[in-house]
Amino acid sequence: FIEYVLGYQPCNLCLIERIPYGLSIILITLSYFYKKNDKFIILLLILTFFFSFAISAYHLGIEQGLFEESAVCGLKNTTGIISKEELLKQLQEKPISCKDVTFRIFGLSLTSINILLSLILITLLTKIYISYEKNK
């Protein structure tokens, strides 16, 4: 919504931070069809959101100036380039920096919100995983 409707362009780390949410949708869908493996899928979800937390913490470190921007921040998707004119056009565009916060909600960057969300989900999923046998 923020990218396509409001017009804010994400940096590469922001795009990477979306991956765990897509993966979690796939895992939850698998859980619906394969109820026998619920506990394993919950464990995979915990690991998925731990990855989300780690990437977001690294991104926040870049935003706060604790870390230097890595090569990931400068990479651009070039799969759609078919002509030299298109390549020149992309080279002239200024890439979105991972350290620049372009959108905030209640004064928090989306990376900060993702860290909080990841921690909440890790905590809830861990409680579900621990109490899984009791609730069965």
Side-chain angles (χ1 to χ4, degrees):
F1 176 81
I2 294 169
E3 179 182 355
Y4 296 109
V5 176
L6 299 180
Y8 290 92
Q9 291 301 310
C11 69
N12 286 342
L13 277 177
C14 290
L15 295 174
I16 292 170
E17 287 176 43
R18 295 177 185 178
I19 294 171
Y21 293 98
L23 184 58
S24 68
I25 290 170
I26 293 168
L27 289 172
I28 291 168
T29 304
L30 286 174
S31 173
Y32 180 76
F33 292 111
Y34 301 106
K35 296 193 184 291
K36 192 162 112 176
N37 298 323
D38 275 349
K39 193 171 180 181
F40 179 68
I41 290 176
I42 293 169
L43 183 61
L44 288 177
L45 284 168
I46 292 169
L47 293 173
T48 299
F49 284 107
F50 183 76
F51 171 76
S52 175
F53 172 78
I55 293 296
S56 297
Y58 175 66
H59 192 180
L60 185 66
I62 291 173
E63 287 179 1
Q64 299 299 317
L66 300 173
F67 307 119
E68 290 292 320
E69 285 185 282
S70 67
V72 173
C73 294
L75 295 177
K76 190 126 175 130
N77 183 7
T78 57
T79 57
I81 297 175
I82 53 173
S83 69
K84 62 182 175 182
E85 291 82 18
E86 190 70 27
L87 179 61
L88 286 171
K89 182 180 173 188
Q90 282 206 359
L91 287 172
Q92 291 173 349
E93 291 177 6
K94 183 180 177 194
I96 306 297
S97 173
C98 291
K99 63 182 173 186
D100 296 334
V101 180
T102 58
F103 189 81
R104 293 183 185 270
I105 298 175
F106 302 117
L108 297 173
S109 70
L110 294 177
T111 300
S112 303
I113 293 170
N114 196 34
I115 287 173
L116 293 173
L117 208 67
S118 295
L119 284 174
I120 290 168
L121 288 169
I122 289 169
T123 304
L124 290 175
L125 288 165
T126 301
K127 286 183 179 186
I128 291 170
Y129 182 80
I130 290 170
S131 65
Y132 184 81
E133 294 301 323
K134 293 180 202 173
N135 296 331
K136 201 168 185 184

